[in-house]
């Protein structure tokens, strides 16, 4: 692993300066400086960095500082187009070669190549098969190939692209330029695989931690209906957000319910035709506050740094999937909220899916273990982030930015509650689901209870003092701690595990969170953690709204996503500082020289008219 030996390199200072001028960012994000320094020194580099940390900057900036031509290989065409458009807005000569590009664009790209003014050329991997292209780029002075989503070269990975196997040969034919590779997901084995396939010599490796400290984490129990999601969304007006729903139908219904509340919500799933999908994705990216109700089909390749929240309306597929999906919020580094709502029926559904799948038994057992890890996360007794990162092998202190840190539950001795719950399971013969067990505990004479004579059990009514919600919380926690379980091929019945028996017979203590009525609502931040609400006074907020309006107007005119004009944080600073001339405006975060030129007057006009 590379060491930080170089914060004083003059090249790096130059890079920092260029970043401030062109992109308007005052400093590097964690991990960037080391990588950029190494790239500037001409080394081959493999960097693993979580989504949203700013991988692109690690090849864009060297391309600008050094001159020459950098080729960027990326499989995500929409993302490629947005990046090129963002670079052009910042005044960088960049182009993309995709099959969907028109002749005019391609022509401009080739001209830039011939006269040496083109700095960044983006290309889909299948283009590497075009005869003679490598040689042509070589003659045009190709100095670096940057490979995005580098895990696609690994056959072990989840996203293998055969075209990536051409990279090494292509580089050879292009005169062996420097190679840099970037990905958000690669464990040690995958890194070895990537290294062997992409590089001639071992590259310098950089692995930055998994943490995304700007994401607020929260998990809650889902109750009937959509009110939890609706309240959450309505507390965050005009923010872009993603609601992950369990099915296509659930996406459509959620979007409809939100629209009925005057929220601009759209649904997105594989059941829609390609044209509708692409229109809706575009709306989401280019507009300012669209709420996307989507299946997991949505997200990969959507480059929108200012997504302010991600909600899971049901249990995600795994910890890995959860981590990746919440990672789509707050890629600009500003505060963003996440909320997962789940219920035991989600877990039962996942079990059935795993059991009914084609996989062999070994694989099924592994999937079950992964599901258990996810449930344990949902019912974690302390800091969510510790549990989440612990799963990925990172150890941290309590984070101060999750529901459990905000409001740490005082754990209680849960032995008696656990024993009541488990004796209800045992006395009814380990053959019943939650609904019935809770009826027995609460002493309800339902038809089913009467038909089975369960009102005569010693356990009948011993849990009268707790509500149904509270008992659900006890059962969830028992499940998460491994005391009770559902047989993989069962019908929703609960059984007691070996660990559960020890608790039942008083041999093993168990600590529980006090069973709460409404952890679900308390866990979600009532107010958004995003910067606008924390930083802006009432009057500044009026100006902020006006600035956003201007931004959207300019974006629509140019047919570009709003954030490529200016980031939210830039507008927030403008609203606070109220610069009244170009010089003052240029000192605002995110205002580079080119953008100052292009948009400065327009935004100054808004500021002066609001004062
Ligand atoms: P990823 O690592 O997922 O490829 P990106 O490269 O798309 O992330 O970067 C995410 C966002 O962060 C972009 O909007 C980018 O402009 C911004 N960004 C990158 N570096 C910095 C920085 N040093 N300071 C502020 N914003 C940055
Ligand atoms: Zn925490």
């Amino acid at each position: 692993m590379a060491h930080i030996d170089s914060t004083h390199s003059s090249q790096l200072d130059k890079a920092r300066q260029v970043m401030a001028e062109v992109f308007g960012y005052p400093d590097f994000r964690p991990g960037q400086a080391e990588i950029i320094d190494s790239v500037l020194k001409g080394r081959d580099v493999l960097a693993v960095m979580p989504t949203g940390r700013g991988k692109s900057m690690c090849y864009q900036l060297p391309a600008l500082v050094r001159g020459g031509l950098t080729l960027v290989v990326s499989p995500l065409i929409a993302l490629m187009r947005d990046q090129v458009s963002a670079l052009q807005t910042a005044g960088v000569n960049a182009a993309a070669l995709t099959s969907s590009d028109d002749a005019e664009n391609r022509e401009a790209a080739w001209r830039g190549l011939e006269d040496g003014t083109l700095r960044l050329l983006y290309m889909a991997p299948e283009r590497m098969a075009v005869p003679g292209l490598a040689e042509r780029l070589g003659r045009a002075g190709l100095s670096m190939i940057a490979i995005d989503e580098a895990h696609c070269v690994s056959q072990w990975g989840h996203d293998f692209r055969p075209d990536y196997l051409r990279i090494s040969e292509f580089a050879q034919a292009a005169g062996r330029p420097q190679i840099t590779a970037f990905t958000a997901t690669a464990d040690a084995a995958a890194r070895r695989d990537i290294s062997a396939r992409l590089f001639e010599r071992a590259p310098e490796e950089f692995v930055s931690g998994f943490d995304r400290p700007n994401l607020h984490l929260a998990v809650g129990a889902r109750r009937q209906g959509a009110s939890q999601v609706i309240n959450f969304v309505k507390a965050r007006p005009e923010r872009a957000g993603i609601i992950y729903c369990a099915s296509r139908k659930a996406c459509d219904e959620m979007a409809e319910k939100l629209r009925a509340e005057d929220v601009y919500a759209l649904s997105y799933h594989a059941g829609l035709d390609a044209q509708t999908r692409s229109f809706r994705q575009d709306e989401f990216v280019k507009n300012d506050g669209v709420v996307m109700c989507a299946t997991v089909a949505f997200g990969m390749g959507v480059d929108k740094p200012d997504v302010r929240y991600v909600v899971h309306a049901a249990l995600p597929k795994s910890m890995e999937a959860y981590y990746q999906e919440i990672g789509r919020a707050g890629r600009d580094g500003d505060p963003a909220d996440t909320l997962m709502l789940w219920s035991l029926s989600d877990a039962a559904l996942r079990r059935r899916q795993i059991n009914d799948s084609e996989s062999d038994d070994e694989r099924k057992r592994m999937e079950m273990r992964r599901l258990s890890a996810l449930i344990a996360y949902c019912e974690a007794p302390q800091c969510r982030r510790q549990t989440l990162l612990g799963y990925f092998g990172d150890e941290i202190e309590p984070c101060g930015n999750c529901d459990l840190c905000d409001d740490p539950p005082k754990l209680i001795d849960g032995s008696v509650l656990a024993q009541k719950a488990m004796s209800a399971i045992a006395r009814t013969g380990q053959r019943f689901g939650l609904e019935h067990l809770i009826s027995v505990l609460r002493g309800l004479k339902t038809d089913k209870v009467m038909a089975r004579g369960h009102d005569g059990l010693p356990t009948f009514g011993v849990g009268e003092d707790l509500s149904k919600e509270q008992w659900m919380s006890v059962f969830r926690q028992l499940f998460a701690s491994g005391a009770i379980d559902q047989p993989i091929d069962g019908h929703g019945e609960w059984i007691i595990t070996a660990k559960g028996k020890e608790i039942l017979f008083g041999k093993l203590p168990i600590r529980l969170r006090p069973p709460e009525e409404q952890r679900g609502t308390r866990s979600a931040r009532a107010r958004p953690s995003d910067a606008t609400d924390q930083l802006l006074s009432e009057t500044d907020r009026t100006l902020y709204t006006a600035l956003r309006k201007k931004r959207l107007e300019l974006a629509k005119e140019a047919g570009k996503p709003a954030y490529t004009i200016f980031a939210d944080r830039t507008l927030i600073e403008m609203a606070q500082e109220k610069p009244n001339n170009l010089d003052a405006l240029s000192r605002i975060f995110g205002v580079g020289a080119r953008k100052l030129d292009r948009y400065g007057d327009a935004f100054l006009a808004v500021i002066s008219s609001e004062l």
Side-chain angles (χ1 to χ4, degrees):
M1 208 125 311
H3 292 279
I4 313 163
D5 56 25
S6 50
T7 20
H8 292 297
S9 104
S10 63
Q11 268 189 317
L12 198 59
D13 288 341
K14 176 87 193 301
R16 197 178 274 119
Q17 222 175 335
V18 172
M19 181 169 71
E21 271 168 36
V22 177
F23 299 97
Y25 301 141
D27 214 340
F28 295 119
R29 293 242 186 92
Q32 283 180 327
E34 297 88 315
I35 298 171
I36 290 171
D37 187 57
S38 177
V39 174
L40 285 170
K41 287 179 172 140
R43 297 182 185 141
D44 286 352
V45 162
L46 170 58
V48 184
M49 224 192 212
T51 304
R53 272 289 184 79
K55 284 184 280 295
S56 340
M57 195 62 76
C58 299
Y59 52 82
Q60 289 171 349
L61 213 45
L64 298 185
V65 173
R66 286 193 304 209
L69 172 67
T70 291
L71 176 70
V72 184
V73 178
S74 165
L76 308 167
I77 293 183
L79 192 142
M80 203 145 78
R81 248 186 265 128
D82 287 348
Q83 284 216 350
V84 168
S85 153
L87 283 167
Q88 288 171 344
T89 310
V92 175
N93 193 346
L97 280 184
T98 65
S99 34
S100 61
D101 265 342
D102 52 67
E104 196 186 320
N105 276 332
R106 213 168 306 172
E107 206 108 305
W110 285 120
R111 261 200 316 279
L113 267 180
E114 305 299 338
D115 65 20
T117 53
L118 189 67
R119 292 284 82 88
L120 286 139
L121 179 65
Y122 283 72
M123 194 174 88
E126 52 274 18
R127 287 253 138 190
M128 284 186 294
V130 175
L133 183 61
E135 290 78 2
R136 190 167 177 188
L137 292 179
R139 282 196 303 278
L142 182 64
S143 51
M144 176 163 89
I145 302 182
I147 298 149
D148 206 2
E149 313 288 335
H151 58 277
C152 294
V153 76
S154 170
Q155 263 145 328
W156 308 118
H158 50 84
D159 205 14
F160 174 59
R161 313 245 172 171
D163 285 311
Y164 265 60
L165 296 176
R166 294 179 200 278
I167 291 173
S168 168
E169 198 185 324
F170 186 91
Q172 194 84 4
R176 298 179 180 228
Q178 176 184 13
I179 295 185
T180 54
F182 300 87
T183 175
T185 48
D187 58 17
R191 289 201 297 278
R192 272 197 301 280
D193 200 28
I194 295 171
S195 292
R197 287 166 198 275
L198 288 182
F199 302 93
E200 281 185 21
R201 281 162 293 126
E204 244 178 84
E205 280 189 25
F206 297 88
V207 182
S208 2
F210 272 93
D211 195 12
R212 294 278 312 281
N214 61 319
L215 299 185
H216 183 265
L217 306 175
V219 179
R222 185 176 65 245
R223 289 187 302 279
Q224 288 281 317
S227 62
Q228 285 163 295
V229 174
I230 290 170
N231 292 341
F232 182 94
V233 170
K234 291 188 80 173
R236 292 158 180 79
E238 288 175 58
R239 311 287 201 296
I242 304 174
I243 320 270
Y244 283 112
C245 305
S247 66
R248 296 173 185 185
K249 190 161 156 262
C251 295
D252 293 336
E253 286 172 359
M254 184 64 80
E256 207 163 300
K257 283 179 190 148
L258 285 168
R259 280 199 298 272
E261 302 279 335
D262 277 335
V263 175
Y264 186 13
L266 297 170
S267 66
Y268 186 105
H269 51 71
L272 299 165
D273 61 71
Q275 204 186 344
T276 307
R277 282 208 307 267
S278 116
F279 170 78
R280 291 185 180 178
Q281 175 167 334
D282 229 45
E283 278 291 287
F284 179 74
V285 172
K286 292 195 172 157
N287 257 299
D288 227 4
V290 178
V291 179
M292 195 66 114
C293 303
T295 60
V296 293
F298 182 74
M300 171 83 165
V302 177
D303 188 21
K304 186 169 176 62
D306 56 350
V307 176
R308 292 270 68 88
Y309 58 85
V310 167
V311 175
H312 284 87
L315 197 66
K317 205 158 170 257
S318 62
M319 290 285 260
E320 286 86 351
Y322 171 70
Y323 177 80
Q324 206 164 47
E325 284 149 17
I326 59 172
R328 290 174 184 142
R331 293 178 55 174
D332 52 12
D334 287 344
D337 284 318
T338 75
L339 172 65
M340 188 223 291
L341 296 171
W342 77 293
S343 84
L344 282 172
S345 61
D346 297 345
L349 178 68
R350 281 288 300 142
R351 285 163 173 282
R352 258 201 315 283
Q353 286 168 344
I354 294 171
N355 191 43
D356 296 348
S357 73
E358 304 282 295
S359 320
D360 56 39
D361 285 354
E362 178 55 31
R363 172 105 200 174
K364 283 183 184 172
R365 268 196 296 279
M366 194 191 75
E367 294 283 332
M368 284 300 180
R369 277 199 300 276
R370 292 174 66 198
L371 177 60
S372 304
L374 183 61
I375 306 293
Y377 170 75
C378 294
E379 292 298 315
Q382 91 297 349
C383 178
R384 294 264 176 230
R385 198 170 253 97
Q386 275 184 331
T387 312
L388 179 63
L389 298 182
Y391 178 81
F392 293 110
D394 279 4
E395 272 179 46
I396 57 157
E397 295 294 306
C399 74
N401 193 28
C402 72
D403 54 350
L404 297 174
C405 283
D406 296 344
D407 182 14
K410 285 191 196 61
L411 298 189
I412 55 165
D413 178 353
S415 306
V416 174
L417 285 173
Q419 282 160 5
K420 284 181 179 173
M422 286 190 286
S423 77
I425 296 176
R427 298 275 185 182
T428 54
Q430 307 198 93
R431 283 187 289 120
F432 292 90
L434 215 54
E435 194 81 23
H436 185 67
L437 293 169
I438 293 178
S439 297
V440 171
L441 283 162
R442 300 189 60 217
L444 304 181
K445 297 190 171 172
T446 64
D447 293 348
K448 197 165 169 182
V449 167
M450 301 315 284
R452 314 266 165 173
H454 285 163
D455 56 331
L457 294 175
T459 322
F460 185 74
V462 295
E464 275 178 329
D465 47 332
L466 263 57
S467 69
K468 181 175 172 189
E469 280 291 325
Q470 288 175 310
W471 275 117
M472 304 261 267
S473 162
V474 172
F475 277 97
R476 277 194 307 270
Q477 294 187 63
L478 290 176
F479 179 41
S481 67
I484 61 174
D485 204 354
Q486 288 185 301
I488 179 164
D489 48 1
H491 300 93
E493 71 272 27
W494 287 93
I495 58 171
I496 301 168
T497 64
K499 181 177 175 187
K501 281 184 190 131
E502 290 194 41
I503 296 168
L504 184 56
F505 299 123
K507 290 189 204 139
L508 192 68
I510 179 165
R511 297 181 67 73
L512 296 176
R513 298 199 309 231
E516 283 175 71
E517 285 290 354
Q518 303 220 321
R519 183 92 206 164
T521 20
R522 291 221 297 143
S523 59
R525 285 226 158 139
R527 289 167 63 73
S529 17
D530 89 35
T532 43
D533 280 64
Q534 284 166 16
L535 298 178
L536 290 178
S537 68
E538 205 56 52
T539 42
D540 291 355
R541 216 169 297 165
T542 318
L543 176 53
Y544 176 64
T545 308
L547 292 167
R548 282 169 60 129
K549 220 171 113 206
K550 174 54 74 182
R551 175 176 69 177
L552 194 59
E553 187 187 307
L554 292 169
K556 287 246 155 96
E557 258 167 42
K560 285 180 192 166
Y563 71 84
T564 63
I565 310 276
F566 283 125
D568 285 350
R569 184 165 153 203
T570 303
L571 299 192
I572 291 166
E573 275 193 25
M574 279 188 206
Q576 288 170 321
E577 303 292 326
K578 307 176 191 55
N580 57 11
N581 57 55
L582 285 171
D583 190 45
L585 185 60
S586 76
R587 283 193 295 273
I588 299 283
F589 173 90
V591 184
R594 181 63 174 252
K595 290 191 181 178
L596 187 69
D597 247 21
R598 204 177 274 188
Y599 308 119
D601 290 330
F603 283 89
L604 284 177
V606 173
I607 295 167
S608 66
S609 74
E610 288 289 326
L611 291 183

